[in-house]
Amino acid sequence: MFDQPQLLLLILCPALLIVAALKDVTTYTIPNWISLALIAGFFPTALALGLSGSAIGLHAAIGAAALVAGMVMFALGWIGGGDAKVFAAAALWLGWPASATFLLVTALAGGGLALTLLAMRSMLLRRYVSAGPPWLSRLAEPGENVPYGLAICIGGLTAFPASSLAALAL
């Protein structure tokens, strides 16, 4: 049984992914402090939950690989810089094999998000969506970006229960 501080550390990742998604959907930005908090929070959480040194190294390697992949996606204009950073920070927390689920679900959620935004931006629906709050109206603007942080959040939350950190808590 884990004590309250360990459980609070464990929910840091899901909580910060939700904050990142909300910020991205409403402002099209993911502040650097979210990615930095994810990275800084991983190591004390891993140590507090008893993750081995080699497992921590594997998590770090997966996070580094995700950062490279995120940088490539950013360079290609597929995602924003904040998306790339939070993608890597989430992968750091998830490790192997949860990162495979993370990649798959993030890609599927991203496709679903893109289709939803295309529908919202159609002439048929845009006038209805535009009557909502300003952030929702902005999502319906043709040519506007895609807040991919939402897809990253969905992928991360889906994969998190399969992560080695979550497994230690069970």
Side-chain angles (χ1 to χ4, degrees), residues 1 9-10 13 18 24 26 32 38-39 42 46 49 54 86 90 103 111 118 125-126 130 152-153 161:
M1 185 83 161
L9 286 171
L10 189 61
C13 179
I18 292 168
D24 203 18
T26 58
N32 287 334
L38 280 166
I39 294 165
F42 168 75
L49 294 174
S54 61
V86 82
L103 288 173
L118 283 172
L125 295 180
R126 192 169 62 232
S130 296
I152 294 167
C153 174

Side-chain angles (χ1 to χ4, degrees), residues 116-140:
T116 300
L117 291 176
L118 283 172
M120 286 174 57
R121 293 171 182 175
S122 71
M123 291 298 287
L124 180 65
L125 295 180
R126 192 169 62 232
R127 64 177 168 220
Y128 300 110
V129 175
S130 296
W135 63 268
L136 187 60
S137 297
R138 186 173 176 197
L139 287 173

Side-chain angles (χ1 to χ4, degrees), residues 46-75:
L47 293 172
L49 294 174
L51 201 63
S52 71
S54 61
I56 291 172
L58 179 59
H59 277 255
I62 290 169
L67 180 60
V68 170
M71 290 168 56
V72 169
M73 290 186 285
F74 173 72

